[in-house]
Amino acid sequence: MTELQTAPTATDTPGAMIELHGVGKIYPGSSVPAVADLDLAIPEGEILVLVGPSGCGKSTTLRLINRMIEPTSGRIVFDGEDVTAVNPDHLRRRIGYVIQQIGLFPHQTIAENIGTVPRLVGWDKARIAARVDELLDLTGLDPVQFRDRYPKELSGGQAQRVGVARALAADPPVLLMDEPFGAIDPITRDRLQNEFLRLQGDLKKTIVFVTHDIDEAIKMGDRIAILGEQSVIRQYDTPERILAYPVDEFVSDFIGAGSTLKGLNFERVRDLELISDFPVVDVDTARDEAQRRFDASPEKWMLVLDSVGRPHRWVNAGHLADASHPLAEVGAAVNSTVMPNATLHDALEEMLLSNAGCAVVVDERNRYQGVLDIEVLADVLKQLRQQAKKHYDDLAQLDAVDQEAQLQDAEPQ
């Protein structure tokens, strides 16, 4: 694979809310940086996921952003302002923070926990109470039931929701999230991820999200930064491009097997052209006409629709040869269908369940729209990889031109 580093800078990402310029951290007593000369731009209104192996420095990077850990070198720019030397407490009040352990204050009620930052910045009691109820409702917790409870009375999923509500309380433009769903069972974790993505669709916060789980990174991130040791960025891009074209063996190994198929999660059935000439008849079609259509097609299966246009049966040459039964009764029932908003990964699963190895596309009334087969999905994956490769080839060419220009500028005149 092409050895291509794609560490972003502020100029690579227009509209960045947070920028790190040459940020480094060396702890006392160590000569090895925990974070080495990091340049990173975080776009406004997006979720950037920092992902990498344990010990690579991703959580340290997160804490450097809100200066819970002070950088040894470099600058931090927040919404156009250099905040490297400002009062860190004032900075943190502009940034929400959610951690895996949640960190709710055990002797405070849920309402008091959520109202922590609004109290610090001087909100009055009525405004805080209204905000608490608003956020409880927004995160799926009934204010009447939960505002006066204590943290010990909550399940893990409920406590995590309260942690998110507390981080949002003063309406900060930025959220930092350090493995926020890591200590929760898989079912609850999936629900919380989905709920959070729904919230983000409305709130459009700038979010830096740390995880060690590449599948969570792919699901949650608008962009992903895959980090190596000392928070060195090995690849920075959209999940689609990273899956389609890992830039080196480190990234490929970290993503793991099946990365190509994961790319199907980003494409929708509605965006594809369905097979237009797939053989289709309805239950009232004469047997000789059905046979004629089947013989005229290269397909090995034909779809039979019911009287209102819904997929009903799959039939093949052997079924058509059985003239003792009507078309409505021969063949195999259609049990697997997809709707236009389904992902191509969903479509692939339905193909594997289908007798004909195809996915039948239907509308909201279950009426037939068309057919997808495995060749269509293979073409999509090929196109995704070609597009991603072109993107990185273009980046490499621009980088080479830039380096050549710098060399020319450095030459004595």
Side-chain angles (χ1 to χ4, degrees), residues 219-237:
K219 179 176 181 177
M220 301 299 293
D222 296 300
R223 300 173 196 254
I224 297 174
I226 297 181
L227 305 181
E229 290 185 4
Q230 302 175 11
S231 279
V232 172
I233 297 176
R234 305 303 296 263
Q235 188 166 359
Y236 175 97
D237 213 323

Side-chain angles (χ1 to χ4, degrees), residues 78-113:
F78 184 95
D79 197 17
E81 175 190 0
D82 188 338
V83 296
T84 312
V86 303
N87 186 314
D89 289 334
H90 293 166
L91 172 64
R92 290 178 202 131
R93 290 171 190 174
R94 299 163 63 188
I95 300 175
Y97 193 53
V98 186
I99 59 176
Q100 179 175 324
Q101 295 81 10
I102 307 166
L104 300 180
F105 303 121
H107 302 301
Q108 291 186 359
T109 65
I110 300 310
E112 290 169 338
N113 267 280

Side-chain angles (χ1 to χ4, degrees), residues 129-362:
R131 182 62 171 165
V132 166
D133 285 359
E134 177 189 3
L135 288 168
L136 285 172
D137 186 65
L138 191 67
T139 53
L141 298 172
D142 183 355
V144 175
Q145 292 187 37
F146 287 94
R147 69 165 77 96
D148 295 322
R149 289 188 185 182
Y150 287 86
K152 66 181 180 181
E153 300 174 285
L154 304 181
S155 69
Q158 291 168 345
Q160 197 65 59
R161 288 172 185 265
V162 173
V164 171
R166 185 175 64 180
L168 291 170
D171 198 22
V174 171
L175 284 182
L176 305 182
M177 308 185 75
D178 194 355
E179 305 219 33
F181 310 130
I184 300 171
D185 68 88
I187 294 176
T188 303
R189 183 185 194 190
D190 187 60
R191 290 173 181 167
L192 286 177
Q193 289 169 341
N194 294 338
E195 184 70 10
F196 186 79
L197 289 173
R198 182 191 66 78
L199 286 176
Q200 172 64 358
D202 295 331
L203 300 176
K204 300 297 183 185
K205 300 292 184 182
T206 302
I207 298 171
V208 188
F209 189 110
V210 164
T211 182
H212 65 277
D213 183 345
I214 187 62
D215 290 324
E216 183 172 53
I218 291 165
K219 179 176 181 177
M220 301 299 293
D222 296 300
R223 300 173 196 254
I224 297 174
I226 297 181
L227 305 181
E229 290 185 4
Q230 302 175 11
S231 279
V232 172
I233 297 176
R234 305 303 296 263
Q235 188 166 359
Y236 175 97
D237 213 323
T238 63
E240 298 95 320
R241 284 182 178 147
I242 288 176
L243 288 173
Y245 197 73
V247 297
D248 58 27
E249 289 187 7
F250 176 90
V251 174
S252 183
D253 289 344
F254 187 78
I255 293 172
S259 61
T260 303
L261 291 180
K262 291 174 184 174
L264 294 176
N265 285 306
F266 302 104
E267 301 294 321
R268 299 282 173 176
V269 170
R270 62 173 176 258
D271 298 324
L272 298 185
E273 184 175 344
L274 305 180
I275 299 175
S276 58
D277 58 351
F278 197 88
V280 178
V281 295
D282 60 51
V283 291
D284 297 322
T285 302
R287 184 59 65 94
D288 59 345
E289 173 61 14
Q291 186 69 57
R292 185 193 68 76
R293 294 187 194 179
F294 182 79
D295 291 341
S297 170
E299 304 291 342
K300 296 181 180 180
W301 290 85
M302 183 164 65
L303 184 64
V304 180
L305 308 180
D306 68 12
S307 58
V308 293
R310 296 174 302 196
H312 183 58
R313 313 287 289 185
W314 286 111
V315 297
N316 60 22
H319 301 133
L320 287 173
D322 179 9
S324 62
H325 292 86
L327 285 176
E329 297 178 6
V330 298
V334 177
N335 296 319
S336 300
T337 60
V338 294
M339 295 183 69
N341 65 343
T343 68
L344 296 194
H345 197 279
D346 295 332
L348 176 59
E349 290 183 345
E350 296 305 322
M351 288 179 190
L352 298 177
L353 295 173
S354 168
N355 293 83
C358 298
V360 182
V361 183
V362 296

Side-chain angles (χ1 to χ4, degrees), residues 109 111-112 114-134 147-148 169:
T109 65
E112 290 169 338
I114 294 173
T116 299
V117 176
R119 284 196 304 274
L120 290 173
V121 296
W123 289 19
D124 62 54
K125 291 183 178 180
R127 185 182 179 189
I128 292 173
R131 182 62 171 165
V132 166
D133 285 359
E134 177 189 3
R147 69 165 77 96
D148 295 322

Side-chain angles (χ1 to χ4, degrees), residues 14-44:
M17 171 63 78
I18 303 169
E19 302 166 28
L20 306 184
H21 297 278
V23 171
K25 178 63 179 179
I26 301 176
Y27 287 103
S30 174
S31 60
V32 179
V35 175
D37 197 28
L38 177 61
D39 291 324
L40 181 64
I42 300 160
E44 183 175 4

Side-chain angles (χ1 to χ4, degrees), residues 54-94:
S54 296
C56 69
K58 52 188 182 292
S59 290
T60 301
T61 299
L62 196 73
R63 295 184 183 114
L64 285 168
I65 291 174
N66 69 354
R67 292 179 54 206
M68 289 183 69
I69 298 174
E70 292 292 345
T72 308
S73 59
R75 295 189 305 120
I76 301 168
V77 177
F78 184 95
D79 197 17
E81 175 190 0
D82 188 338
V83 296
T84 312
V86 303
N87 186 314
D89 289 334
H90 293 166
L91 172 64
R92 290 178 202 131
R93 290 171 190 174
R94 299 163 63 188

